[in-house]
């Protein structure tokens, strides 16, 4: 009968004809048959099953085996013996080089017919040993899956005792070497099914033998933490972790993170490879294990590992948000990585270029998964905006991408940041500030934030960028008896000459610290600036004079020379004078008092104040300060003075502006309470009409005009008139009598709210002119002299002259309270000397408006980070980020009659000294620190090379984003848009 069956199977008849003949043979096999005939048929069916070259032949072999196993059990048991199975497992079946791949399938098929036989136990014992040997030989995923299927169906064959533990460990080693060699979707799905079968066997063993779990996981950790040069273990290991009971997580993580035998490099390798598991599409709880290990490392303060792994892996995790099948887990890991990485903006900034593309892709997908992920991603982004403000140029495209998504409230943001931070002790992360390999491309140097010291950093950078002040400080000689100024000189010198990307201002902070400031708390930068300038002024004023003074011009009169010699450096650079006049409205007596100032504090006008009272541009001759007309005494001399200046009834112009304005506004001057510009003289003006901004809009000239406008003293604020010898209604006005070289304007954004007993912030957007014209009250004879010499800006008989100021720094406060938030600043180095220009009439030749306003580079200083910026960014920052508002402004005076004495002194100093000449000790200190920095860089590079080389090599994550960008037509279950898709994208996801 075996010959007949073999002839039929090997014949060329059609399969349907063969099937009929085979049916007859199989039916005949159900009848009693001698032992020899049974053996012949079993040998033939074994041959067909194991070596058949077609599926049809193998199916016939299977059917015959099943029939003989069922109807001839004794003969089958005798045939299916231990010796035969041992030969199959160790030597295989078939000719050399073509051994059958179906031996395990054959054994699984035959086992069901010998389970009750006397030889069953012998067979089980044999298989327990042989499957362990097979696994140690590292079979392919397909063969491993067959072993798993065999042992799952026949658990009696699973190794026991110590062999069981060894089997689990070796099976994990096998999984670690699994690789899918095909990129076809069907083949990948088959591979995933094979992996699930193998890991499912481990789950079955662990359920019955929980003592095998920890040794198995130890073997898993050994594999993923290995630093030997070899191929990275397979992401299929993720399938193992998903079956570990979550109740064991805390103990396992605690043991791992407290094991002193595990080196940092091994731990970093392990967590890095675990993070790669977010790509595994069928894993459960993988994100929970990754986050638990990250938290465990934070608990034992392994911050260096966390930083390295986060920075190297966060972009890859982010790219997996494109795929719905792994999106939930990837988003969980991403959220923890970002929310815990709070000591530096580095991790978040790595994602900024990719966020707009991902948001666009998720919006296009338009699924529940995408919608939910978009909302969570937007919440995460706003948390990062809140934690790391001060990067408007970088954040603008991201803000534009998420502008239509919900914005979390501040309490929610603080809650998320508070519960995820690695540590609540900021000093524990002090040594992990952003690592910058080299200076910013701008050539400028940043300042390290020493714990909410951004208020100081922004002020220091603004003062440093005030080039005249910086040169004067750097030119100080050794032994000048000004300890605080000396520390400032050292700080400026390092900012000028250090090779470090950022330096620590710790020494200067301790020396300039206001005693009432709370350490570690956010402070008011304006308050710090006032205190600093006052300290520097008083230090010099009390006899500790600058050792090397600026050489005064021989053309100066003795009185003028003495005037400037008596001034401190702070007075020369930032000092101005203001005349305060109070007029009694009864007797019209005027009392006046002149005061010095280093900054002007500008309050905001009431919201109901009418800012636009003029619809035409008034002649420049009308610039001047006016008082409000009193209700009576219309013939008062103050009103007569106003009439002398102009025949118009309209209010006169007090402050003028030039240059750029807020995006979307007209280029002619900003309309203020008394603002205008001479269109004929302003090359930037294009229209003779004055455009009023929105009702709630403000400009710097508005605030200055409000500051200079008359104030009524009535009711409880009545003035005690000496002439009347009683309290009377009065009018107070301030007039600037001497403009400072650097004009500092503080916008009083913080006001006390009696209801909440806190200082609230005024978030009004204030447009900032790049050029400001300020009216200065001068003596009549000085005005006539200026006019006679042809200097612009003075009007005969008006008593005022116009002084031009160029914007050079803007300190921005980000936040809603003076006790919190963040400070950063925009700065540029204003200059009024055209290269190779020659002074005329003793005054340096001024640069053109265009050169001053357009060609000078703006920089953005944000603690350690310095970047190029623009005035457009300065103007638009509050439009994009409503909590980021200009707070302190620095303007530099252009050369003119009033400033020519100081300008001559500065020009002379520049000619004599060129670049500031630092004294020997300071130069040596900078040189030594630069050498030290280079040595530190070399050492860090070596350490980092060893450290980074340990990081697992993963696929090029950015291909995911590029694929989404380039291939918009992909579709299907795993594509970025729909979750299925083309083989290429799915292969990239899994591996």
């Amino acid at each position: 009968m075996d010959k007949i069956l073999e002839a039929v199977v090997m014949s060329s008849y059609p399969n349907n004809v063969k099937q009929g003949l085979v049916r007859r043979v199989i039916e005949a096999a159900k009848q009693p048959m001698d032992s020899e005939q049974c053996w012949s048929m079993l040998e033939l069916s074994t041959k067909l099953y194991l070596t058949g070259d077609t599926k049809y032949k193998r199916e016939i072999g299977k059917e015959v085996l099943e029939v003989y196993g069922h109807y001839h059990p004794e003969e089958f048991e005798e045939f299916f013996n231990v010796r035969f199975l041992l030969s199959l497992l160790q030597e295989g079946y078939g000719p050399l080089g073509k051994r059958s791949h179906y031996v395990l399938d054959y054994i699984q098929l035959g086992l069901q017919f010998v389970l009750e036989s006397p030889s069953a136990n012998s067979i089980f014992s044999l298989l327990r040993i042989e499957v362990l040997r097979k696994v140690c030989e590292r079979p392919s995923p397909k063969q491993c899956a067959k072993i798993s299927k065999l042992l799952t169906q026949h658990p009696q064959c699973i190794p026991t005792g110590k062999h069981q533990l060894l089997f689990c460990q070796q099976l994990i080693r096998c999984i670690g070497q699994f690789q899918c060699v095909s990129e076809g979707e069907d083949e990948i799905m088959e591979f995933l099914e094979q992996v699930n079968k193998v890991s499912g066997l481990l789950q079955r063993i662990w359920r019955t033998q929980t003592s095998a779990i920890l040794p198995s996981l130890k073997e898993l950790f050994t594999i993923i933490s290995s630093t030997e040069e070899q191929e990275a273990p397979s992401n299929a290991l993720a399938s193992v972790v998903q079956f570990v009971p979550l109740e064991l997580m805390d103990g396992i993580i605690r043991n791992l993170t407290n094991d002193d035998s595990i080196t940092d490099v091994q731990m970093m390798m392990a967590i890095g490879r675990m993070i790669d598991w977010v790509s595994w599409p069928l894993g459960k709880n993988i994100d929970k294990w990754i986050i638990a290990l990250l938290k465990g490392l934070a608990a034992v303060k392994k911050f260096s590992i966390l930083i390295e792994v986060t920075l190297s892996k966060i972009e890859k995790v982010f790219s997996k948000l494109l795929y719905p099948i792994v999106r939930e887990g990837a988003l969980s890991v991403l959220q923890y990585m970002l929310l815990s990485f709070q000591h530096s903006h580095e991790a978040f900034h790595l994602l900024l270029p990719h966020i707009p593309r991902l948001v666009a892709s998720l919006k296009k997908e338009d699924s529940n998964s995408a919608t939910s992920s978009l909302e969570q991603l937007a919440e995460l982004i706003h948390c990062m905006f809140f934690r790391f403000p001060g990067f408007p140029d970088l954040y603008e495209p991201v803000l534009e991408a998420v502008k239509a998504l919900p914005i979390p409230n501040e309490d929610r943001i603080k809650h998320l940041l508070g519960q995820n931070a690695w540590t609540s002790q900021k000093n524990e992360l002090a040594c992990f500030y952003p690592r910058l390999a080299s200076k910013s491309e701008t050539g400028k140097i940043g300042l390290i934030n020493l714990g909410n010291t951004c208020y100081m950093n922004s002020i220091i950078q603004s003062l440093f960028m005030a080039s005249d002040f910086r040169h004067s400080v750097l030119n100080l000689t050794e032994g000048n008896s000004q300890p605080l100024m000396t520390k400032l000189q050292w700080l400026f010198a390092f900012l000028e000459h250090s090779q470090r990307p950022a330096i620590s201002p710790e020494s200067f902070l301790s020396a300039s610290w206001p005693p009432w400031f709370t350490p570690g708390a956010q402070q008011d930068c304006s308050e710090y600036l006032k205190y600093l300038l006052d300290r520097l002024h008083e230090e010099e004023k009390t006899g500790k004079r600058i050792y090397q003074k600026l050489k005064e011009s021989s053309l100066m009169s003795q009185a003028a020379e003495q005037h400037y010699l008596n001034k401190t450096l702070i007075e020369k650079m930032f000092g101005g004078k203001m005349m305060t006049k109070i007029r009694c409205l009864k007797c019209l007596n005027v009392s006046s008092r002149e005061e010095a100032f280093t900054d002007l504090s500008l309050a905001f006008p009431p919201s109901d104040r009418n800012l636009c009272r003029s619809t035409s541009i008034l002649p420049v001759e009308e610039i001047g300060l006016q008082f409000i007309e009193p209700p009576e005494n219309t013939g008062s001399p103050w009103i007569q003075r106003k009439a002398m200046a102009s025949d118009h009834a309209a209010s006169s112009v007090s402050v003028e502006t030039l240059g750029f304005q807020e995006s979307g506004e007209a280029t002619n001057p900003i309309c203020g309470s008394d603002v205008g510009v001479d269109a004929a003289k302003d090359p930037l003006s294009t229209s003779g009409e004055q455009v009023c901004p929105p009702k709630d809009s403000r400009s710097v000239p508005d605030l200055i005009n409000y500051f200079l406008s008359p104030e009524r003293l009535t009711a409880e604020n009545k003035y005690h008139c000496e002439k009347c010898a009683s309290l009377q209604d009065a009018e107070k006005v301030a007039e600037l009598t001497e403009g400072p070289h650097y004009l500092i304007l503080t916008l009083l954004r913080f006001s006390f709210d009696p209801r909440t007993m806190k200082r609230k912030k005024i978030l009004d957007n204030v447009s900032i002119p790049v050029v400001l014209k300020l009216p200065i009250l001068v003596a009549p004879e000085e005005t006539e002299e200026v006019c006679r010499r042809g200097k612009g800006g003075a009007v005969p008989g008006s008593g005022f002259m116009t002084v031009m100021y160029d914007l050079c720094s803007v300190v921005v406060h980000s936040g809603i309270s003076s006790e919190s938030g963040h400070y950063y600043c925009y700065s540029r180095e204003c200059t009024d000397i055209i290269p190779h220009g020659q002074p005329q009439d003793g005054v340096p030749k001024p640069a053109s408006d265009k050169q001053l306003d357009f060609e000078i580079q703006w920089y953005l200083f944000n603690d350690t980070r310095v970047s190029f910026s623009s005035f457009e960014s300065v103007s638009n920052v509050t439009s994009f980020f409503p909590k980021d508002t200009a707070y302190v402004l620095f303007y530099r005076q252009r050369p003119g009659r009033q400033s020519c004495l100081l300008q001559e002194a500065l020009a002379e100093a520049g000619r004599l000294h060129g670049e500031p000449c630092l004294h020997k000790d300071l130069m040596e200190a900078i040189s030594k620190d630069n050498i030290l920095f280079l040595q530190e860089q070399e050492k860090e590079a070596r350490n980092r090379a060893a450290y980074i080389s340990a990081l697992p090599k993963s696929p090029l994550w950015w291909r995911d984003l590029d694929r989404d960008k380039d291939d918009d037509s992909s579709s299907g279950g795993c594509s970025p848009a729909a979750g299925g898709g083309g083989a290429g994208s799915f292969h990239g996801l899994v591996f």
Side-chain angles (χ1 to χ4, degrees), residues 339-393:
L339 291 172
S340 62
F341 201 95
Q342 293 188 31
H343 71 288
S344 161
H345 56 258
E346 287 178 283
F348 178 51
H349 284 193
L350 286 173
L351 305 181
L352 294 180
H354 316 300
I355 291 176
R357 274 190 284 168
L358 176 68
V359 171
S361 176
L362 293 177
K363 287 180 178 178
K364 182 180 178 182
E365 182 181 320
D366 192 25
S367 66
N368 291 336
S369 168
T371 302
S372 174
S373 297
L374 273 174
E375 292 177 356
Q376 294 179 68
L377 183 62
E379 182 177 70
L380 189 59
I381 289 170
H382 283 288
C383 285
M384 294 298 99
F385 284 168
F386 182 87
R387 180 64 187 87
F388 304 114
F391 302 93
D393 295 348

XYZ file of all heavy atoms in Angstrom, residues 339-393:
444
model
N 8.681 67.087 30.821
C 8.254 67.722 32.071
C 9.258 67.515 33.193
O 9.291 68.293 34.153
C 6.885 67.185 32.487
C 5.715 67.603 31.601
C 4.446 66.870 31.990
C 5.488 69.106 31.666
N 10.075 66.482 33.103
C 11.081 66.251 34.141
C 12.382 66.983 33.837
O 13.157 67.274 34.745
C 11.356 64.748 34.278
O 11.876 64.217 33.073
N 12.613 67.312 32.580
C 13.871 67.964 32.158
C 13.702 69.476 32.340
O 13.599 70.232 31.370
C 14.139 67.616 30.690
C 15.582 67.767 30.269
C 16.432 66.676 30.294
C 16.089 68.979 29.840
C 17.751 66.800 29.882
C 17.403 69.111 29.439
C 18.234 68.015 29.458
N 13.682 69.929 33.584
C 13.329 71.319 33.868
C 14.526 72.212 34.174
O 14.351 73.415 34.381
C 12.348 71.377 35.043
C 10.988 70.782 34.725
C 9.978 71.021 35.824
O 10.020 72.028 36.530
N 9.062 70.084 35.989
N 15.728 71.653 34.200
C 16.884 72.492 34.522
C 17.405 73.228 33.293
O 18.203 74.154 33.420
C 18.004 71.628 35.096
C 18.656 70.729 34.075
N 18.010 69.625 33.560
C 19.853 70.798 33.459
C 18.810 69.057 32.670
N 19.927 69.735 32.585
N 16.959 72.837 32.120
C 17.499 73.414 30.889
C 16.469 73.306 29.772
O 15.613 72.413 29.765
C 18.786 72.670 30.491
O 19.102 72.882 29.135
N 16.575 74.230 28.814
C 15.674 74.224 27.665
C 16.144 73.289 26.559
O 15.473 73.148 25.535
C 15.588 75.646 27.095
C 16.934 76.207 26.720
N 17.609 77.111 27.511
C 17.758 75.975 25.669
C 18.767 77.412 26.945
N 18.876 76.734 25.826
N 17.295 72.641 26.718
C 17.908 71.888 25.620
C 16.975 70.838 25.020
O 16.853 70.739 23.787
C 19.178 71.195 26.113
C 20.350 72.114 26.348
C 21.549 71.349 26.876
O 21.566 71.013 28.068
O 22.468 71.099 26.085
N 16.353 70.032 25.867
C 15.522 68.938 25.352
C 14.353 69.484 24.541
O 14.076 69.017 23.432
C 15.019 68.069 26.509
N 13.659 70.474 25.074
C 12.517 71.056 24.364
C 12.951 71.698 23.060
O 12.277 71.545 22.031
C 11.830 72.082 25.264
C 10.662 72.779 24.615
C 9.660 72.065 24.003
C 10.581 74.168 24.622
C 8.580 72.702 23.405
C 9.516 74.824 24.023
C 8.513 74.084 23.412
N 14.072 72.384 23.077
C 14.524 73.081 21.876
C 14.939 72.118 20.766
O 14.905 72.480 19.588
C 15.668 74.032 22.221
C 15.182 75.273 22.901
N 15.961 76.396 23.073
C 13.983 75.585 23.445
C 15.272 77.327 23.711
N 14.068 76.846 23.952
N 15.309 70.893 21.121
C 15.612 69.909 20.086
C 14.375 69.584 19.242
O 14.484 69.241 18.069
C 16.135 68.613 20.722
C 17.557 68.633 21.285
C 17.849 67.333 22.014
C 18.583 68.865 20.183
N 13.211 69.723 19.841
C 11.964 69.357 19.156
C 11.365 70.494 18.345
O 10.497 70.253 17.501
C 10.927 68.890 20.183
C 11.339 67.748 21.112
C 10.179 67.395 22.039
C 11.781 66.524 20.320
N 11.798 71.729 18.598
C 11.145 72.883 17.972
C 11.069 72.802 16.446
O 10.020 73.114 15.876
C 11.861 74.174 18.394
C 11.754 74.531 19.884
C 12.513 75.826 20.179
C 10.309 74.671 20.322
N 12.126 72.369 15.744
C 12.014 72.332 14.275
C 10.988 71.318 13.774
O 10.503 71.435 12.655
C 13.439 71.937 13.826
C 14.323 72.198 14.991
C 13.476 71.974 16.203
N 10.665 70.309 14.594
C 9.801 69.225 14.127
C 8.341 69.407 14.515
O 7.474 68.739 13.950
C 10.302 67.889 14.687
C 11.789 67.707 14.605
N 12.469 67.728 13.412
C 12.728 67.525 15.577
C 13.761 67.552 13.649
N 13.939 67.443 14.951
N 8.063 70.259 15.489
C 6.691 70.372 15.999
C 5.706 70.829 14.926
O 4.628 70.217 14.777
C 6.656 71.305 17.228
C 7.365 70.636 18.408
C 5.216 71.649 17.603
C 7.480 71.511 19.642
N 5.969 71.892 14.143
C 4.976 72.313 13.152
C 4.598 71.219 12.166
O 3.419 71.044 11.832
C 5.662 73.498 12.447
C 6.606 74.051 13.477
C 7.109 72.850 14.211
N 5.575 70.428 11.722
C 5.273 69.362 10.769
C 4.418 68.267 11.408
O 3.499 67.729 10.787
C 6.576 68.751 10.230
C 7.155 69.493 9.033
C 8.278 68.710 8.406
N 9.494 68.796 9.208
C 10.565 68.026 9.024
N 10.544 67.099 8.094
N 11.626 68.168 9.762
N 4.740 67.926 12.655
C 3.947 66.902 13.328
C 2.523 67.382 13.558
O 1.555 66.636 13.337
C 4.598 66.533 14.664
C 3.796 65.524 15.497
C 3.789 64.160 14.822
C 4.347 65.411 16.902
N 2.360 68.618 13.991
C 1.023 69.161 14.222
C 0.216 69.144 12.929
O -0.956 68.757 12.909
C 1.106 70.594 14.796
C -0.263 71.250 14.826
C 1.712 70.565 16.206
N 0.856 69.536 11.834
C 0.165 69.525 10.538
C -0.255 68.106 10.163
O -1.359 67.883 9.646
C 1.076 70.121 9.464
N 0.608 67.134 10.423
C 0.293 65.744 10.089
C -0.863 65.225 10.927
O -1.763 64.545 10.419
C 1.537 64.873 10.309
O 1.244 63.510 10.073
N -0.872 65.553 12.227
C -1.951 65.090 13.099
C -3.282 65.740 12.726
O -4.336 65.097 12.774
C -1.606 65.380 14.560
C -0.430 64.595 15.141
C -0.154 65.023 16.579
C -0.686 63.098 15.071
N -3.239 67.015 12.355
C -4.469 67.676 11.917
C -5.006 67.031 10.643
O -6.213 66.853 10.475
C -4.203 69.165 11.688
C -4.011 69.971 12.967
C -3.765 71.433 12.660
C -3.630 72.252 13.942
N -3.345 73.686 13.662
N -4.105 66.657 9.764
C -4.510 66.038 8.505
C -5.104 64.646 8.748
O -6.039 64.228 8.068
C -3.296 65.931 7.581
C -3.585 65.341 6.214
C -2.313 65.293 5.379
C -2.572 64.656 4.026
N -1.331 64.566 3.217
N -4.586 63.949 9.739
C -5.075 62.601 10.040
C -6.533 62.628 10.473
O -7.318 61.747 10.125
C -4.206 61.979 11.138
C -4.604 60.562 11.501
C -3.733 59.998 12.621
O -2.508 60.258 12.611
O -4.283 59.323 13.506
N -6.904 63.616 11.283
C -8.299 63.833 11.670
C -8.941 62.579 12.261
O -9.998 62.126 11.823
C -9.099 64.328 10.463
C -10.478 64.861 10.874
O -10.603 65.286 12.043
O -11.403 64.836 10.047
N -8.282 61.990 13.256
C -8.840 60.840 13.958
C -8.963 61.190 15.439
O -8.422 62.201 15.900
C -7.937 59.615 13.786
O -6.686 59.843 14.429
N -9.673 60.362 16.189
C -9.789 60.602 17.628
C -8.433 60.560 18.303
O -8.137 61.351 19.200
C -10.724 59.561 18.255
C -12.169 59.740 17.821
O -12.573 60.842 17.436
N -12.950 58.668 17.863
N -7.605 59.618 17.861
C -6.257 59.510 18.422
C -5.447 60.769 18.149
O -4.769 61.300 19.038
C -5.536 58.297 17.821
O -4.164 58.313 18.130
N -5.538 61.271 16.924
C -4.777 62.469 16.556
C -5.282 63.689 17.317
O -4.487 64.512 17.801
C -4.867 62.708 15.051
N -6.596 63.818 17.451
C -7.172 64.969 18.156
C -6.744 64.986 19.618
O -6.338 66.013 20.162
C -8.704 64.944 18.054
O -9.082 64.958 16.668
C -9.313 66.140 18.760
N -6.851 63.821 20.260
C -6.440 63.723 21.660
C -4.959 64.026 21.819
O -4.552 64.747 22.740
C -6.753 62.321 22.191
O -6.241 62.156 23.494
N -4.147 63.493 20.916
C -2.697 63.721 20.997
C -2.350 65.184 20.765
O -1.437 65.719 21.400
C -1.975 62.836 19.977
O -2.186 61.473 20.265
N -3.057 65.833 19.859
C -2.814 67.250 19.609
C -3.077 68.082 20.864
O -2.303 68.983 21.199
C -3.699 67.740 18.462
C -3.165 67.571 17.042
C -4.223 67.974 16.023
C -1.901 68.408 16.836
N -4.168 67.786 21.553
C -4.500 68.546 22.762
C -3.456 68.325 23.854
O -3.032 69.272 24.527
C -5.887 68.149 23.252
C -7.006 68.588 22.306
C -8.378 68.119 22.755
O -8.444 67.383 23.767
O -9.374 68.482 22.096
N -3.020 67.087 24.011
C -1.987 66.801 25.017
C -0.649 67.425 24.630
O 0.079 67.930 25.485
C -1.828 65.293 25.181
C -3.042 64.596 25.765
C -2.844 63.105 25.893
O -2.032 62.638 26.693
N -3.573 62.334 25.092
N -0.342 67.394 23.333
C 0.906 67.982 22.867
C 0.889 69.493 23.067
O 1.896 70.087 23.494
C 1.121 67.637 21.390
C 2.430 68.120 20.764
C 3.630 67.484 21.461
C 2.466 67.807 19.268
N -0.242 70.128 22.782
C -0.353 71.579 22.970
C -0.178 71.934 24.448
O 0.495 72.918 24.782
C -1.703 72.075 22.461
N -0.772 71.157 25.321
C -0.613 71.389 26.759
C 0.853 71.281 27.161
O 1.370 72.097 27.930
C -1.454 70.373 27.533
C -1.406 70.545 29.034
C -2.299 69.559 29.754
O -1.969 68.346 29.749
O -3.330 69.982 30.314
N 1.522 70.281 26.616
C 2.940 70.078 26.905
C 3.771 71.249 26.396
O 4.682 71.739 27.084
C 3.382 68.768 26.250
C 4.761 68.218 26.582
C 4.898 67.976 28.073
C 4.995 66.918 25.814
N 3.469 71.722 25.205
C 4.211 72.841 24.618
C 4.032 74.098 25.454
O 5.003 74.830 25.720
C 3.747 73.065 23.162
C 4.238 71.911 22.272
C 4.253 74.405 22.623
C 3.627 71.915 20.889
N 2.826 74.377 25.900
C 2.598 75.574 26.718
C 3.286 75.459 28.080
O 3.714 76.475 28.639
C 1.096 75.822 26.873
C 0.460 76.422 25.660
N 0.675 77.739 25.272
C -0.362 75.887 24.714
C -0.004 77.986 24.164
N -0.637 76.886 23.802
N 3.389 74.256 28.594
C 4.165 74.060 29.830
C 5.626 74.440 29.596
O 6.267 75.074 30.449
C 4.079 72.605 30.290
S 2.519 72.141 31.047
N 6.152 74.050 28.442
C 7.546 74.375 28.130
C 7.722 75.871 27.873
O 8.730 76.465 28.265
C 8.009 73.581 26.904
C 8.074 72.070 27.122
S 9.257 71.568 28.409
C 8.169 71.332 29.814
N 6.739 76.490 27.207
C 6.782 77.945 27.032
C 6.843 78.638 28.394
O 7.589 79.598 28.584
C 5.528 78.432 26.295
C 5.534 78.159 24.810
C 4.372 78.305 24.056
C 6.685 77.768 24.153
C 4.366 78.069 22.693
C 6.690 77.529 22.789
C 5.524 77.675 22.065
N 6.036 78.146 29.323
C 5.972 78.744 30.663
C 7.287 78.531 31.409
O 7.783 79.445 32.068
C 4.816 78.106 31.441
C 4.626 78.665 32.823
C 3.837 79.788 33.032
C 5.235 78.068 33.925
C 3.656 80.307 34.306
C 5.067 78.577 35.198
C 4.275 79.702 35.390
N 7.839 77.328 31.279
C 9.065 77.008 32.033
C 10.301 77.655 31.415
O 11.221 78.054 32.127
C 9.248 75.478 32.081
C 10.504 75.018 32.846
C 10.410 75.403 34.294
N 11.649 75.116 35.002
C 12.687 75.943 35.086
N 12.620 77.132 34.488
N 13.759 75.619 35.747
N 10.336 77.765 30.097
C 11.522 78.302 29.424
C 11.139 79.468 28.523
O 11.181 79.369 27.296
C 12.214 77.210 28.599
C 12.582 75.992 29.390
C 11.980 74.767 29.133
C 13.510 76.064 30.412
C 12.303 73.642 29.869
C 13.849 74.942 31.156
C 13.239 73.740 30.888
N 10.712 80.584 29.114
C 10.381 81.758 28.292
C 11.654 82.442 27.800
O 12.765 82.060 28.161
C 9.619 82.649 29.283
C 10.207 82.299 30.611
C 10.530 80.833 30.553
N 11.447 83.450 26.968
C 12.591 84.242 26.528
C 13.164 83.822 25.197
O 14.277 84.229 24.853
N 12.439 83.009 24.421
C 12.923 82.590 23.102
C 11.872 82.886 22.042
O 11.414 81.978 21.329
C 13.269 81.101 23.113
C 14.294 80.707 24.125
C 13.925 80.266 25.377
C 15.649 80.787 23.826
C 14.870 79.903 26.321
C 16.606 80.429 24.758
C 16.225 79.995 26.012
N 11.436 84.123 21.930
C 10.328 84.433 21.013
C 10.618 84.079 19.565
O 9.736 83.611 18.848
C 10.127 85.942 21.194
C 11.406 86.439 21.794
C 11.940 85.320 22.620
N 11.856 84.296 19.126
C 12.180 83.995 17.728
C 12.053 82.497 17.440
O 11.603 82.098 16.366
C 13.603 84.458 17.406
C 13.754 85.969 17.505
O 12.715 86.647 17.600
O 14.887 86.465 17.509
